[in-house]
CSV table of all heavy atoms in Angstrom, one decimal:
chain,number,residue,atom,x,y,z
A,1,MET,N,3.7,3.3,-5.5
A,1,MET,CA,3.3,1.9,-5.7
A,1,MET,C,2.4,1.5,-4.5
A,1,MET,O,2.6,1.8,-3.4
A,1,MET,CB,4.5,1.0,-5.7
A,1,MET,CG,5.4,1.2,-6.8
A,1,MET,SD,4.6,0.5,-8.4
A,1,MET,CE,5.8,1.1,-9.5
A,2,HIS,N,1.4,0.7,-4.8
A,2,HIS,CA,0.5,0.2,-3.8
A,2,HIS,C,0.7,-1.4,-3.9
A,2,HIS,O,0.3,-2.0,-4.9
A,2,HIS,CB,-0.9,0.6,-4.2
A,2,HIS,CG,-1.9,0.1,-3.2
A,2,HIS,ND1,-3.2,0.6,-3.2
A,2,HIS,CD2,-1.9,-0.9,-2.3
A,2,HIS,CE1,-3.9,0.0,-2.3
A,2,HIS,NE2,-3.2,-0.9,-1.7
A,3,LEU,N,1.1,-2.0,-2.9
A,3,LEU,CA,1.2,-3.5,-2.9
A,3,LEU,C,-0.2,-4.1,-2.7
A,3,LEU,O,-0.9,-3.8,-1.7
A,3,LEU,CB,2.1,-4.0,-1.7
A,3,LEU,CG,3.6,-3.5,-1.8
A,3,LEU,CD1,4.3,-4.0,-0.5
A,3,LEU,CD2,4.2,-4.1,-3.0
A,4,THR,N,-0.6,-4.9,-3.6
A,4,THR,CA,-2.0,-5.4,-3.6
A,4,THR,C,-2.0,-6.9,-3.4
A,4,THR,O,-3.1,-7.5,-3.2
A,4,THR,CB,-2.7,-5.1,-4.9
A,4,THR,OG1,-2.0,-5.7,-6.0
A,4,THR,CG2,-2.8,-3.6,-5.1
A,5,GLY,N,-0.9,-7.6,-3.5
A,5,GLY,CA,-0.9,-9.1,-3.3
A,5,GLY,C,0.5,-9.7,-3.3
A,5,GLY,O,1.4,-8.9,-3.6
A,6,ILE,N,0.5,-11.0,-3.1
A,6,ILE,CA,1.8,-11.7,-3.1
A,6,ILE,C,1.6,-12.9,-4.0
A,6,ILE,O,0.5,-13.6,-3.9
A,6,ILE,CB,2.2,-12.2,-1.7
A,6,ILE,CG1,2.4,-10.9,-0.8
A,6,ILE,CG2,3.5,-13.0,-1.7
A,6,ILE,CD1,2.7,-11.2,0.7
A,7,ALA,N,2.6,-13.2,-4.8
A,7,ALA,CA,2.6,-14.4,-5.7
A,7,ALA,C,3.9,-15.1,-5.6
A,7,ALA,O,5.0,-14.5,-5.2
A,7,ALA,CB,2.3,-14.0,-7.1
A,8,LYS,N,3.9,-16.4,-6.0
A,8,LYS,CA,5.2,-17.2,-6.1
A,8,LYS,C,5.2,-17.8,-7.5
A,8,LYS,O,4.2,-18.3,-7.9
A,8,LYS,CB,5.2,-18.2,-5.0
A,8,LYS,CG,5.5,-17.7,-3.6
A,8,LYS,CD,5.9,-18.8,-2.7
A,8,LYS,CE,6.1,-18.1,-1.3
A,8,LYS,NZ,7.3,-18.5,-0.7
A,9,ASP,N,6.4,-17.9,-8.0
A,9,ASP,CA,6.5,-18.5,-9.4
A,9,ASP,C,6.7,-20.0,-9.1
A,9,ASP,O,6.8,-20.5,-8.0
A,9,ASP,CB,7.5,-17.8,-10.2
A,9,ASP,CG,8.9,-18.0,-9.7
A,9,ASP,OD1,9.2,-18.8,-8.8
A,9,ASP,OD2,9.8,-17.4,-10.3
A,10,GLN,N,6.9,-20.7,-10.3
A,10,GLN,CA,7.1,-22.2,-10.2
A,10,GLN,C,8.4,-22.5,-9.5
A,10,GLN,O,8.6,-23.7,-9.1
A,10,GLN,CB,7.1,-22.8,-11.6
A,10,GLN,CG,8.2,-22.3,-12.5
A,10,GLN,CD,7.9,-21.0,-13.3
A,10,GLN,OE1,7.1,-20.3,-12.9
A,10,GLN,NE2,8.6,-20.8,-14.4
A,11,HIS,N,9.3,-21.6,-9.3
A,11,HIS,CA,10.6,-21.9,-8.6
A,11,HIS,C,10.6,-21.5,-7.1
A,11,HIS,O,11.5,-21.5,-6.4
A,11,HIS,CB,11.8,-21.2,-9.2
A,11,HIS,CG,11.9,-21.5,-10.7
A,11,HIS,ND1,12.3,-22.7,-11.2
A,11,HIS,CD2,11.6,-20.8,-11.8
A,11,HIS,CE1,12.3,-22.8,-12.5
A,11,HIS,NE2,11.9,-21.6,-12.9
A,12,GLY,N,9.4,-20.9,-6.7
A,12,GLY,CA,9.3,-20.5,-5.3
A,12,GLY,C,9.7,-19.1,-5.0
A,12,GLY,O,9.7,-18.8,-3.8
A,13,ILE,N,10.0,-18.3,-6.0
A,13,ILE,CA,10.4,-17.0,-5.8
A,13,ILE,C,9.2,-16.1,-5.5
A,13,ILE,O,8.2,-16.2,-6.2
A,13,ILE,CB,11.2,-16.5,-7.0
A,13,ILE,CG1,12.5,-17.3,-7.2
A,13,ILE,CG2,11.6,-15.0,-6.9
A,13,ILE,CD1,13.2,-17.0,-8.5
A,14,THR,N,9.3,-15.3,-4.5
A,14,THR,CA,8.2,-14.4,-4.1
A,14,THR,C,8.2,-13.1,-4.9
A,14,THR,O,9.2,-12.5,-5.1
A,14,THR,CB,8.3,-14.1,-2.6
A,14,THR,OG1,8.3,-15.3,-1.8
A,14,THR,CG2,7.2,-13.2,-2.1
A,15,TYR,N,7.0,-12.8,-5.4
A,15,TYR,CA,6.8,-11.5,-6.0
A,15,TYR,C,5.7,-10.7,-5.3
A,15,TYR,O,4.7,-11.3,-4.9
A,15,TYR,CB,6.4,-11.8,-7.5
A,15,TYR,CG,7.5,-12.3,-8.3
A,15,TYR,CD1,7.7,-13.7,-8.4
A,15,TYR,CD2,8.4,-11.5,-9.0
A,15,TYR,CE1,8.8,-14.2,-9.2
A,15,TYR,CE2,9.4,-12.0,-9.8
A,15,TYR,CZ,9.6,-13.4,-9.8
A,15,TYR,OH,10.6,-13.9,-10.6
A,16,TYR,N,5.8,-9.5,-5.3
A,16,TYR,CA,4.7,-8.6,-4.9
A,16,TYR,C,3.9,-8.1,-6.1
A,16,TYR,O,4.5,-7.6,-7.0
A,16,TYR,CB,5.2,-7.5,-4.0
A,16,TYR,CG,5.9,-7.9,-2.7
A,16,TYR,CD1,7.3,-8.0,-2.6
A,16,TYR,CD2,5.1,-8.3,-1.7
A,16,TYR,CE1,7.8,-8.5,-1.4
A,16,TYR,CE2,5.6,-8.7,-0.5
A,16,TYR,CZ,7.0,-8.9,-0.4
A,16,TYR,OH,7.5,-9.3,0.8
A,17,ILE,N,2.6,-8.2,-6.0
A,17,ILE,CA,1.8,-7.6,-7.0
A,17,ILE,C,1.5,-6.2,-6.7
A,17,ILE,O,1.0,-5.9,-5.6
A,17,ILE,CB,0.5,-8.4,-7.1
A,17,ILE,CG1,0.7,-9.8,-7.4
A,17,ILE,CG2,-0.4,-7.8,-8.3
A,17,ILE,CD1,-0.5,-10.8,-7.2
A,18,THR,N,2.0,-5.2,-7.6
A,18,THR,CA,1.9,-3.8,-7.2
A,18,THR,C,1.0,-3.1,-8.2
A,18,THR,O,1.0,-3.4,-9.4
A,18,THR,CB,3.3,-3.2,-7.2
A,18,THR,OG1,3.9,-3.3,-8.5
A,18,THR,CG2,4.2,-3.8,-6.2
A,19,LYS,N,0.3,-2.1,-7.7
A,19,LYS,CA,-0.5,-1.3,-8.6
A,19,LYS,C,0.3,0.0,-8.8
A,19,LYS,O,0.7,0.7,-7.9
A,19,LYS,CB,-1.8,-0.9,-7.9
A,19,LYS,CG,-2.7,0.1,-8.7
A,19,LYS,CD,-3.2,-0.6,-10.0
A,19,LYS,CE,-4.2,0.3,-10.6
A,19,LYS,NZ,-4.4,0.1,-12.0
A,20,ASN,N,0.7,0.3,-10.1
A,20,ASN,CA,1.5,1.4,-10.4
A,20,ASN,C,0.6,2.7,-10.4
A,20,ASN,O,-0.5,2.7,-11.0
A,20,ASN,CB,2.1,1.3,-11.8
A,20,ASN,CG,3.2,2.2,-12.0
A,20,ASN,OD1,3.2,3.3,-11.6
A,20,ASN,ND2,4.2,1.7,-12.7
A,21,SER,N,1.1,3.8,-9.8
A,21,SER,CA,0.4,5.0,-9.7
A,21,SER,C,0.4,5.8,-11.0
A,21,SER,O,-0.2,6.9,-11.2
A,21,SER,CB,0.9,5.9,-8.6
A,21,SER,OG,2.2,6.2,-8.8
A,22,TRP,N,1.1,5.3,-12.0
A,22,TRP,CA,1.2,6.1,-13.3
A,22,TRP,C,-0.1,5.9,-14.1
A,22,TRP,O,-0.3,6.6,-15.1
A,22,TRP,CB,2.4,5.5,-14.2
A,22,TRP,CG,3.7,5.7,-13.5
A,22,TRP,CD1,4.1,6.7,-12.7
A,22,TRP,CD2,4.8,4.9,-13.8
A,22,TRP,NE1,5.4,6.4,-12.3
A,22,TRP,CE2,5.9,5.4,-13.0
A,22,TRP,CE3,5.1,3.8,-14.6
A,22,TRP,CZ2,7.2,4.8,-13.0
A,22,TRP,CZ3,6.4,3.2,-14.6
A,22,TRP,CH2,7.4,3.8,-13.8
A,23,GLY,N,-1.0,5.0,-13.7
A,23,GLY,CA,-2.2,4.8,-14.5
A,23,GLY,C,-2.4,3.5,-15.1
A,23,GLY,O,-1.4,2.7,-15.2
A,24,THR,N,-3.6,3.2,-15.6
A,24,THR,CA,-3.8,1.9,-16.2
A,24,THR,C,-3.4,1.7,-17.6
A,24,THR,O,-3.4,0.6,-18.1
A,24,THR,CB,-5.3,1.6,-16.0
A,24,THR,OG1,-6.1,2.6,-16.7
A,24,THR,CG2,-5.8,1.6,-14.6
A,25,GLU,N,-3.1,2.8,-18.3
A,25,GLU,CA,-2.7,2.8,-19.7
A,25,GLU,C,-1.3,2.5,-19.9
A,25,GLU,O,-0.9,2.3,-21.1
A,25,GLU,CB,-3.1,4.1,-20.4
A,25,GLU,CG,-4.5,4.6,-20.1
A,25,GLU,CD,-5.7,3.6,-20.4
A,25,GLU,OE1,-5.5,2.9,-21.5
A,25,GLU,OE2,-6.6,3.5,-19.6
A,26,ARG,N,-0.5,2.4,-19.0
A,26,ARG,CA,1.0,2.3,-19.1
A,26,ARG,C,1.5,0.9,-19.5
A,26,ARG,O,2.6,0.8,-20.0
A,26,ARG,CB,1.7,2.7,-17.9
A,26,ARG,CG,1.4,4.2,-17.5
A,26,ARG,CD,2.1,5.1,-18.3
A,26,ARG,NE,3.5,5.3,-17.8
A,26,ARG,CZ,4.2,6.4,-18.0
A,26,ARG,NH1,3.7,7.3,-18.7
A,26,ARG,NH2,5.3,6.5,-17.6
A,27,ASN,N,0.7,-0.1,-19.2
A,27,ASN,CA,1.1,-1.5,-19.7
A,27,ASN,C,-0.2,-2.3,-20.0
A,27,ASN,O,-1.3,-1.9,-19.7
A,27,ASN,CB,1.9,-2.2,-18.6
A,27,ASN,CG,1.3,-2.5,-17.3
A,27,ASN,OD1,0.0,-2.6,-17.3
A,27,ASN,ND2,2.0,-2.6,-16.2
A,28,GLU,N,0.0,-3.5,-20.5
A,28,GLU,CA,-1.1,-4.3,-20.9
A,28,GLU,C,-1.9,-5.0,-19.7
A,28,GLU,O,-2.8,-5.7,-20.0
A,28,GLU,CB,-0.7,-5.4,-21.9
A,28,GLU,CG,0.4,-6.3,-21.4
A,28,GLU,CD,0.9,-7.2,-22.4
A,28,GLU,OE1,1.9,-6.7,-23.2
A,28,GLU,OE2,0.5,-8.4,-22.5
A,29,TYR,N,-1.4,-4.8,-18.5
A,29,TYR,CA,-2.0,-5.4,-17.3
A,29,TYR,C,-2.7,-4.4,-16.4
A,29,TYR,O,-2.9,-4.6,-15.3
A,29,TYR,CB,-0.9,-6.1,-16.5
A,29,TYR,CG,-0.1,-7.1,-17.3
A,29,TYR,CD1,1.2,-6.8,-17.7
A,29,TYR,CD2,-0.7,-8.3,-17.8
A,29,TYR,CE1,1.9,-7.7,-18.5
A,29,TYR,CE2,0.0,-9.2,-18.6
A,29,TYR,CZ,1.4,-8.9,-18.9
A,29,TYR,OH,2.0,-9.7,-19.7
A,30,GLY,N,-3.1,-3.3,-17.0
A,30,GLY,CA,-4.0,-2.3,-16.3
A,30,GLY,C,-3.2,-1.6,-15.2
A,30,GLY,O,-3.8,-1.2,-14.2
A,31,GLY,N,-1.9,-1.5,-15.3
A,31,GLY,CA,-1.1,-0.8,-14.4
A,31,GLY,C,-0.5,-1.7,-13.3
A,31,GLY,O,0.2,-1.2,-12.4
A,32,TYR,N,-0.8,-3.0,-13.3
A,32,TYR,CA,-0.2,-3.8,-12.3
A,32,TYR,C,1.1,-4.4,-12.7
A,32,TYR,O,1.3,-4.7,-13.9
A,32,TYR,CB,-1.2,-5.0,-12.0
A,32,TYR,CG,-2.4,-4.7,-11.3
A,32,TYR,CD1,-3.5,-4.2,-11.9
A,32,TYR,CD2,-2.4,-4.7,-9.9
A,32,TYR,CE1,-4.7,-3.9,-11.2
A,32,TYR,CE2,-3.5,-4.3,-9.1
A,32,TYR,CZ,-4.7,-3.9,-9.8
A,32,TYR,OH,-5.7,-3.5,-9.1
A,33,LEU,N,2.1,-4.6,-11.8
A,33,LEU,CA,3.4,-5.1,-12.1
A,33,LEU,C,3.7,-6.2,-11.0
A,33,LEU,O,3.3,-6.0,-9.8
A,33,LEU,CB,4.4,-4.0,-12.0
A,33,LEU,CG,4.3,-2.8,-12.8
A,33,LEU,CD1,5.2,-1.7,-12.4
A,33,LEU,CD2,4.5,-3.1,-14.2
A,34,ASN,N,4.5,-7.1,-11.4
A,34,ASN,CA,5.0,-8.1,-10.4
A,34,ASN,C,6.5,-7.7,-10.1
A,34,ASN,O,7.3,-7.6,-11.0
A,34,ASN,CB,5.0,-9.5,-10.9
A,34,ASN,CG,3.6,-10.1,-11.0
A,34,ASN,OD1,2.7,-9.6,-10.4
A,34,ASN,ND2,3.4,-11.2,-11.7
A,35,MET,N,6.8,-7.5,-8.9
A,35,MET,CA,8.1,-7.1,-8.5
A,35,MET,C,8.7,-8.1,-7.5
A,35,MET,O,8.0,-8.5,-6.6
A,35,MET,CB,8.1,-5.7,-7.8
A,35,MET,CG,7.7,-4.6,-8.6
A,35,MET,SD,7.8,-3.0,-7.7
A,35,MET,CE,7.5,-1.9,-9.1
A,36,SER,N,9.9,-8.5,-7.8
A,36,SER,CA,10.5,-9.6,-6.9
A,36,SER,C,10.7,-9.0,-5.5
A,36,SER,O,10.9,-7.8,-5.3
A,36,SER,CB,11.9,-10.1,-7.5
A,36,SER,OG,12.8,-9.1,-7.4
A,37,GLU,N,10.7,-9.9,-4.6
A,37,GLU,CA,10.9,-9.5,-3.1
A,37,GLU,C,12.3,-8.9,-3.0
A,37,GLU,O,12.4,-7.8,-2.3
A,37,GLU,CB,10.8,-10.8,-2.3
A,37,GLU,CG,11.0,-10.4,-0.8
A,37,GLU,CD,10.8,-11.6,0.1
A,37,GLU,OE1,11.0,-12.8,-0.4
A,37,GLU,OE2,10.6,-11.4,1.3
A,38,SER,N,13.3,-9.4,-3.7
A,38,SER,CA,14.6,-8.8,-3.6
A,38,SER,C,14.6,-7.3,-4.1
A,38,SER,O,15.3,-6.5,-3.6
A,38,SER,CB,15.7,-9.6,-4.2
A,38,SER,OG,15.4,-9.8,-5.5
A,39,TYR,N,13.9,-7.1,-5.2
A,39,TYR,CA,13.8,-5.8,-5.8
A,39,TYR,C,13.2,-4.8,-4.9
A,39,TYR,O,13.6,-3.7,-4.6
A,39,TYR,CB,13.1,-5.8,-7.1
A,39,TYR,CG,13.0,-4.5,-7.8
A,39,TYR,CD1,14.0,-4.0,-8.6
A,39,TYR,CD2,11.9,-3.6,-7.6
A,39,TYR,CE1,14.0,-2.8,-9.2
A,39,TYR,CE2,11.8,-2.4,-8.2
A,39,TYR,CZ,12.8,-1.9,-9.0
A,39,TYR,OH,12.8,-0.7,-9.6
A,40,VAL,N,12.0,-5.2,-4.3
A,40,VAL,CA,11.3,-4.3,-3.3
A,40,VAL,C,12.1,-4.1,-2.1
A,40,VAL,O,12.2,-2.9,-1.7
A,40,VAL,CB,9.9,-5.0,-2.9
A,40,VAL,CG1,9.2,-4.2,-1.8
A,40,VAL,CG2,9.0,-5.1,-4.2
A,41,ARG,N,12.8,-5.1,-1.6
A,41,ARG,CA,13.7,-4.8,-0.4
A,41,ARG,C,14.8,-3.8,-0.8
A,41,ARG,O,15.1,-2.9,0.0
A,41,ARG,CB,14.4,-6.1,0.0
A,41,ARG,CG,13.4,-7.0,0.8
A,41,ARG,CD,14.2,-8.3,1.1
A,41,ARG,NE,13.3,-9.2,1.8
A,41,ARG,CZ,13.4,-9.5,3.1
A,41,ARG,NH1,14.3,-8.9,3.8
A,41,ARG,NH2,12.6,-10.3,3.6
A,42,ALA,N,15.3,-3.9,-2.0
A,42,ALA,CA,16.5,-3.0,-2.3
A,42,ALA,C,16.0,-1.6,-2.6
A,42,ALA,O,16.7,-0.7,-2.4
A,42,ALA,CB,17.2,-3.6,-3.6
A,43,LYS,N,14.8,-1.4,-3.2
A,43,LYS,CA,14.3,-0.1,-3.6
A,43,LYS,C,13.4,0.6,-2.7
A,43,LYS,O,13.1,1.8,-2.9
A,43,LYS,CB,13.6,-0.3,-5.0
A,43,LYS,CG,14.5,-0.8,-6.1
A,43,LYS,CD,15.7,0.0,-6.4
A,43,LYS,CE,16.5,-0.5,-7.5
A,43,LYS,NZ,17.6,0.4,-7.9
A,44,THR,N,12.9,0.0,-1.6
A,44,THR,CA,12.0,0.6,-0.8
A,44,THR,C,12.7,1.6,0.2
A,44,THR,O,13.6,1.3,0.8
A,44,THR,CB,11.2,-0.4,0.1
A,44,THR,OG1,10.5,-1.4,-0.8
A,44,THR,CG2,10.2,0.2,1.1
A,45,ILE,N,12.1,2.8,0.2
A,45,ILE,CA,12.7,3.9,1.0
A,45,ILE,C,11.7,4.2,2.1
A,45,ILE,O,12.1,4.3,3.3
A,45,ILE,CB,12.9,5.2,0.1
A,45,ILE,CG1,13.9,4.9,-0.9
A,45,ILE,CG2,13.3,6.3,1.0
A,45,ILE,CD1,14.1,6.0,-2.0
A,46,TYR,N,10.4,4.2,1.9
A,46,TYR,CA,9.4,4.5,2.9
A,46,TYR,C,8.3,3.5,2.7
A,46,TYR,O,8.0,3.1,1.6
A,46,TYR,CB,8.8,5.9,2.7
A,46,TYR,CG,9.8,7.0,2.9
A,46,TYR,CD1,10.3,7.7,1.8
A,46,TYR,CD2,10.2,7.5,4.1
A,46,TYR,CE1,11.2,8.7,1.9
A,46,TYR,CE2,11.1,8.5,4.3
A,46,TYR,CZ,11.6,9.1,3.2
A,46,TYR,OH,12.5,10.1,3.3
A,47,ILE,N,7.6,3.3,3.8
A,47,ILE,CA,6.3,2.6,3.8
A,47,ILE,C,5.3,3.4,4.6
A,47,ILE,O,5.6,4.2,5.4
A,47,ILE,CB,6.4,1.2,4.4
A,47,ILE,CG1,6.8,1.2,5.8
A,47,ILE,CG2,7.3,0.3,3.6
A,47,ILE,CD1,6.6,-0.2,6.5
A,48,LEU,N,4.1,3.2,4.2
A,48,LEU,CA,2.9,3.9,4.8
A,48,LEU,C,2.0,2.9,5.4
A,48,LEU,O,1.6,2.0,4.6
A,48,LEU,CB,2.2,4.9,3.8
A,48,LEU,CG,1.0,5.6,4.3
A,48,LEU,CD1,1.4,6.7,5.4
A,48,LEU,CD2,0.3,6.3,3.1
A,49,VAL,N,1.6,3.0,6.6
A,49,VAL,CA,0.6,2.1,7.2
A,49,VAL,C,-0.4,2.9,7.9
A,49,VAL,O,-0.1,3.8,8.6
A,49,VAL,CB,1.4,1.1,8.2
A,49,VAL,CG1,0.3,0.3,9.0
A,49,VAL,CG2,2.5,0.4,7.6
A,50,HIS,N,-1.7,2.6,7.6
A,50,HIS,CA,-2.8,3.2,8.3
A,50,HIS,C,-2.7,3.0,9.8
A,50,HIS,O,-2.4,1.9,10.2
A,50,HIS,CB,-4.1,2.8,7.7
A,50,HIS,CG,-5.3,3.7,8.1
A,50,HIS,ND1,-5.9,3.6,9.3
A,50,HIS,CD2,-5.9,4.6,7.4
A,50,HIS,CE1,-6.8,4.5,9.4
A,50,HIS,NE2,-6.9,5.1,8.3
A,51,LYS,N,-3.0,4.0,10.6
A,51,LYS,CA,-2.8,3.9,12.0
A,51,LYS,C,-3.7,2.9,12.6
A,51,LYS,O,-3.4,2.3,13.7
A,51,LYS,CB,-3.0,5.3,12.7
A,51,LYS,CG,-4.4,5.9,12.7
A,51,LYS,CD,-4.4,7.2,13.4
A,51,LYS,CE,-5.8,7.8,13.4
A,51,LYS,NZ,-5.7,9.1,14.1
A,52,ASP,N,-4.8,2.6,12.0
A,52,ASP,CA,-5.7,1.5,12.5
A,52,ASP,C,-5.1,0.1,12.4
A,52,ASP,O,-5.6,-0.8,13.0
A,52,ASP,CB,-7.1,1.6,11.9
A,52,ASP,CG,-7.9,2.8,12.2
A,52,ASP,OD1,-7.5,3.5,13.3
A,52,ASP,OD2,-8.9,3.1,11.5
A,53,ALA,N,-4.1,0.0,11.6
A,53,ALA,CA,-3.5,-1.4,11.4
A,53,ALA,C,-2.4,-1.6,12.4
A,53,ALA,O,-1.8,-2.7,12.4
A,53,ALA,CB,-2.9,-1.5,9.9
A,54,ILE,N,-2.0,-0.6,13.2
A,54,ILE,CA,-1.0,-0.7,14.1
A,54,ILE,C,-1.5,-1.2,15.5
A,54,ILE,O,-2.5,-0.7,16.0
A,54,ILE,CB,-0.3,0.6,14.4
A,54,ILE,CG1,0.3,1.2,13.0
A,54,ILE,CG2,0.9,0.5,15.4
A,54,ILE,CD1,0.8,2.6,13.1
A,55,PRO,N,-0.9,-2.3,16.0
A,55,PRO,CA,-1.4,-2.8,17.3
A,55,PRO,C,-1.3,-1.7,18.4
A,55,PRO,O,-0.5,-0.9,18.4
A,55,PRO,CB,-0.4,-3.9,17.6
A,55,PRO,CG,0.1,-4.4,16.3
A,55,PRO,CD,0.1,-3.1,15.5
A,56,ALA,N,-2.3,-1.8,19.4
A,56,ALA,CA,-2.4,-0.8,20.4
A,56,ALA,C,-1.1,-0.6,21.2
A,56,ALA,O,-0.7,0.5,21.6
A,56,ALA,CB,-3.5,-1.2,21.4
A,57,ALA,N,-0.4,-1.7,21.5
A,57,ALA,CA,0.8,-1.6,22.3
A,57,ALA,C,1.9,-0.8,21.6
A,57,ALA,O,2.6,0.0,22.2
A,57,ALA,CB,1.3,-3.0,22.6
A,58,ILE,N,2.0,-1.0,20.3
A,58,ILE,CA,3.0,-0.2,19.5
A,58,ILE,C,2.6,1.2,19.4
A,58,ILE,O,3.3,2.1,19.5
A,58,ILE,CB,3.1,-0.8,18.1
A,58,ILE,CG1,3.8,-2.3,18.3
A,58,ILE,CG2,4.0,0.0,17.2
A,58,ILE,CD1,3.9,-3.0,17.0
A,59,LYS,N,1.2,1.5,19.2
A,59,LYS,CA,0.7,2.9,19.2
A,59,LYS,C,1.1,3.6,20.5
A,59,LYS,O,1.5,4.8,20.4
A,59,LYS,CB,-0.8,2.9,19.0
A,59,LYS,CG,-1.3,2.7,17.6
A,59,LYS,CD,-2.8,2.8,17.7
A,59,LYS,CE,-3.5,2.5,16.4
A,59,LYS,NZ,-4.9,2.7,16.4
A,60,THR,N,0.9,2.9,21.6
A,60,THR,CA,1.3,3.5,22.8
A,60,THR,C,2.8,3.9,22.9
A,60,THR,O,3.2,5.0,23.3
A,60,THR,CB,1.0,2.6,24.0
A,60,THR,OG1,-0.4,2.3,24.0
A,60,THR,CG2,1.3,3.2,25.4
A,61,LYS,N,3.7,2.9,22.5
A,61,LYS,CA,5.1,3.2,22.5
A,61,LYS,C,5.5,4.3,21.5
A,61,LYS,O,6.4,5.1,21.9
A,61,LYS,CB,5.8,1.9,22.1
A,61,LYS,CG,5.9,0.9,23.1
A,61,LYS,CD,6.6,-0.4,22.6
A,61,LYS,CE,6.6,-1.5,23.7
A,61,LYS,NZ,7.2,-2.7,23.2
A,62,LEU,N,4.8,4.4,20.4
A,62,LEU,CA,5.1,5.5,19.4
A,62,LEU,C,4.3,6.8,19.8
A,62,LEU,O,4.5,7.8,19.1
A,62,LEU,CB,4.7,5.0,18.1
A,62,LEU,CG,5.5,3.9,17.5
A,62,LEU,CD1,4.9,3.4,16.2
A,62,LEU,CD2,7.0,4.2,17.3
A,63,LYS,N,3.5,6.8,20.8
A,63,LYS,CA,2.7,7.9,21.2
A,63,LYS,C,1.8,8.4,20.0
A,63,LYS,O,1.7,9.6,19.7
A,63,LYS,CB,3.6,9.1,21.7
A,63,LYS,CG,4.3,8.6,22.9
A,63,LYS,CD,5.2,9.7,23.4
A,63,LYS,CE,6.0,9.2,24.6
A,63,LYS,NZ,7.1,10.0,25.0
A,64,ILE,N,1.1,7.5,19.4
A,64,ILE,CA,0.2,7.8,18.3
A,64,ILE,C,-1.2,7.8,18.9
A,64,ILE,O,-1.7,6.9,19.6
A,64,ILE,CB,0.2,6.7,17.2
A,64,ILE,CG1,1.6,6.7,16.6
A,64,ILE,CG2,-0.8,6.9,16.1
A,64,ILE,CD1,1.8,5.6,15.6
A,65,ASP,N,-1.9,9.0,18.7
A,65,ASP,CA,-3.3,9.1,19.2
A,65,ASP,C,-4.2,8.2,18.4
A,65,ASP,O,-4.0,7.9,17.2
A,65,ASP,CB,-3.7,10.6,19.0
A,65,ASP,CG,-2.9,11.5,19.9
A,65,ASP,OD1,-2.5,11.1,20.9
A,65,ASP,OD2,-2.8,12.6,19.4
A,66,LYS,N,-5.3,7.9,19.0
A,66,LYS,CA,-6.4,7.1,18.4
A,66,LYS,C,-7.2,7.8,17.4
A,66,LYS,O,-7.3,8.9,17.2
A,66,LYS,CB,-7.2,6.4,19.4
A,66,LYS,CG,-6.5,5.4,20.2
A,66,LYS,CD,-7.4,4.7,21.2
A,66,LYS,CE,-6.6,3.7,22.0
A,66,LYS,NZ,-7.4,2.9,22.9
């Protein structure tokens, strides 16, 4: 899953707009799904962040090369 955006419904509930890696033919929305924040929190095992998005101070602490 690739998180591509954030939305809120009329009740203020946060949803993450996700692009499903199964392809664009799997649903009528071109592979995009809205997942509630609570669902994402409960089901997330790993996250991936590009090293250029990590602040320099944290890179130093984690010993990540530039």
